[in-house]
Amino acid sequence: MKMNAEFERVIKYFDEDGDGKVSPTEIRNKVVMMGGCGGGEFLFKEFEMAVEELDSDGDGLLSLEDFVELMEGAGEDEKLRDLREAFEMYHDKEMCGFITPKSLKIMLGKLGESKSLEECRLMINHFDLNGDGLLCFEEFRTMMMQ
């Protein structure tokens, strides 16, 4: 709820006419007022395209829900990037992008956690959806989201 209140304040800041939604013109006006880029036609077209892409109900305006979706989506992208970086640390370079029991054992050892090859095999098997004995990124992501 606290996050929605913050988003509501942002929407109210941009919402010049008080209709609860933000138009490309309102965004441009505030950006120009804050000392951002000039207010030219090119900038307006950019804002228009951004609003069109994020507008969920097709009215040409951003609602609070659209804004929340944008902000939460940005958070998801960041989480996905972090997971990719973590996956890169664990995957076996020789196996072209898969986590093997051996690579898991090595990485866990670097983190100070001693596991046998068999224990690592069992850990992988728990999340190995296709039964190949390896973890691909999607399987790793499923594991990390639990």
Side-chain angles (χ1 to χ4, degrees), residues 32-46:
V32 169
M33 191 175 77
M34 292 184 296
C37 314
E41 187 63 26
F42 175 74
L43 184 63
F44 181 73
K45 288 289 182 201
E46 296 243 334

Side-chain angles (χ1 to χ4, degrees), residues 33-94:
M33 191 175 77
M34 292 184 296
C37 314
E41 187 63 26
F42 175 74
L43 184 63
F44 181 73
K45 288 289 182 201
E46 296 243 334
F47 289 131
E48 223 174 28
M49 288 171 32
V51 168
E52 184 179 315
E53 187 174 317
L54 300 169
D55 176 19
S56 62
D57 61 8
D59 65 358
L61 304 168
L62 290 183
S63 65
L64 176 61
E65 292 77 24
D66 295 332
F67 190 70
V68 169
E69 180 76 23
L70 168 67
M71 299 315 287
E72 288 176 351
E76 288 302 313
D77 288 345
E78 190 173 319
K79 286 179 197 171
L80 193 57
R81 257 193 318 276
D82 291 345
L83 276 176
R84 251 216 210 272
E85 287 176 18
F87 180 76
E88 293 296 321
M89 290 175 22
Y90 281 87
H91 87 299
D92 187 328
K93 309 289 187 242
E94 296 170 16

Side-chain angles (χ1 to χ4, degrees), residues 91-105:
H91 87 299
D92 187 328
K93 309 289 187 242
E94 296 170 16
M95 289 298 295
C96 300
F98 291 94
I99 297 174
T100 65
K102 178 183 170 189
S103 66
L104 180 59
K105 180 179 178 2

Side-chain angles (χ1 to χ4, degrees), residues 105-115:
K105 180 179 178 2
I106 291 169
M107 191 60 195
L108 289 175
K110 289 179 182 178
L111 296 172
E113 196 171 328
S114 180
K115 297 281 184 194

